[in-house]
Amino acid sequence: MTYKEMQDVLMKELRLYHYPIAVKFFYDRAELEQFQEKAPEIHTPLKAMTFCQWEIGARMKGQIVYSDRGGLGCNNAKYSFGWKDIDDGEIKGHAKYTRDLEQAERFVRSKSRLPEGLLGIAVAPLGAIDGLYEPDTVHFYCDNMQAYHLAVDYMAATDTHPLRPSITMNSSACGGNVYTYLEQEFNMLPACSGSYNAGKTERGEINVIIPGKQFKAVFDRLQERINAGSSSITRPGDGFPGADVCKNCPLIIFKKEQ
């Protein structure tokens, strides 16, 4: 399937509210120029903003968004992307979360961080990247049950159990994608304070981030279940999410009229 076809299946079968985001970290100049040449339309931030705000354009408006360091107004994300070193401002920015500055510095230093040399980042709806690039990560903003289904399909597809997500302070979208890219592992984490207000993450939403190299295997696992008759794990035989009925409940039963 094309990425467009996979997105259509995901939107329909998991009842996604947002487009899955295909994230690409560009380190190769020729690869970046090829993307810029082939993309039908690229949107760039008018003013510097946060990475999770870049993703709003992709997941809500269906736009292909690209920016380099100049379009990023979040120092925490700059640190995660290797675009700035740790400094007093970054440490003090985490002081409100920690017991003291010493702990703040240790916590910042323990975050996942891209190697230097990053040219820019593209975030786009999964269905818009055919012929443009292969995603480094695929980022879902989804609800609890959608996240569970994605996690279960990932575990089955990659033979991984249990999953061990990585949650860091003040870096859910930016740091979460960096962790998945570097470690090539599934990540599922709540919104941080920044992505909650700046990135417009809803109270009931959670982040699911899948390595791009493993994404097709996860999708194939979902497709296997659909072909077997159900996109629902909680209620096999039903479409997602399945009837919200207690297992083996003797009261909530429907039968065909004779």
Side-chain angles (χ1 to χ4, degrees):
M1 282 189 176
T2 65
Y3 283 115
K4 174 64 168 63
E5 290 169 334
M6 285 189 275
Q7 176 177 281
D8 290 344
V9 172
L10 287 162
M11 296 296 291
K12 174 187 175 184
E13 297 292 345
L14 293 186
R15 309 292 195 270
L16 295 177
Y17 187 66
H18 301 280
Y19 295 120
I21 305 166
V23 180
K24 178 67 177 178
F25 300 114
F26 286 101
Y27 279 90
D28 183 85
R29 178 70 63 181
E31 190 176 22
L32 172 57
E33 291 175 352
Q34 185 179 48
F35 157 70
Q36 292 174 322
E37 190 175 298
K38 289 186 175 182
E41 190 175 64
I42 295 176
H43 291 76
T44 57
L46 181 62
K47 296 181 179 180
M49 60 183 72
T50 67
F51 172 74
C52 46
Q53 288 173 332
W54 293 359
E55 290 190 314
I56 291 173
R59 68 185 174 99
M60 292 185 178
K61 301 190 70 174
Q63 296 173 338
I64 299 173
V65 177
Y66 170 80
S67 184
D68 57 17
R69 179 177 177 174
L72 188 61
C74 173
N75 284 330
N76 189 60
K78 287 180 181 177
Y79 177 78
S80 293
F81 297 148
W83 280 339
K84 72 179 290 291
D85 293 326
I86 189 171
D87 54 25
D88 289 342
E90 191 65 22
I91 295 169
K92 290 178 181 178
H94 286 70
K96 63 183 178 182
Y97 306 110
T98 57
R99 290 179 177 273
D100 51 42
L101 290 178
E102 185 275 332
Q103 187 182 62
E105 181 174 355
R106 284 192 293 108
F107 282 13
V108 172
R109 291 188 182 277
S110 67
K111 291 185 179 186
S112 298
R113 189 165 183 259
L114 290 178
E116 294 183 2
L118 181 66
L119 300 173
I121 305 170
V123 293
L126 182 70
I129 66 169
D130 287 302
L132 297 182
Y133 61 78
E134 291 296 312
D136 288 321
T137 62
V138 180
H139 185 180
F140 294 81
Y141 284 77
C142 52
D143 66 26
N144 174 77
M145 194 48 56
Q146 291 162 339
Y148 176 68
H149 277 65
L150 290 166
V152 169
D153 283 340
Y154 178 90
M155 288 187 280
T158 62
D159 195 26
T160 305
H161 195 272
L163 295 179
R164 303 187 187 279
S166 174
I167 300 174
T168 54
M169 288 180 175
N170 202 31
S171 54
S172 288
C174 52
N177 275 284
V178 170
Y179 169 84
T180 292
Y181 173 63
L182 294 177
E183 302 298 328
Q184 290 297 294
E185 293 183 8
F186 177 98
N187 205 0
M188 182 166 65
L189 62 166
C192 63
S193 55
S195 67
Y196 170 65
N197 49 37
K200 303 304 177 188
T201 309
E202 298 293 336
R203 288 279 294 273
E205 290 179 334
I206 192 166
N207 297 276
V208 167
I209 308 170
I210 298 173
K213 292 180 180 178
Q214 299 171 342
F215 176 73
K216 289 183 179 179
V218 177
F219 177 83
D220 287 345
R221 175 56 189 156
L222 168 63
Q223 191 67 60
E224 285 176 5
R225 293 195 297 99
I226 294 170
N227 293 340
S230 178
S231 58
S232 173
I233 291 172
T234 54
R235 189 79 172 183
D238 285 5
F240 180 89
D244 188 6
V245 179
C246 296
K247 188 175 182 179
N248 298 326
C249 178
L251 299 178
I252 307 177
I253 300 174
F254 304 93
K255 66 177 182 178
K256 291 184 179 180
E257 188 70 29
Q258 298 298 323

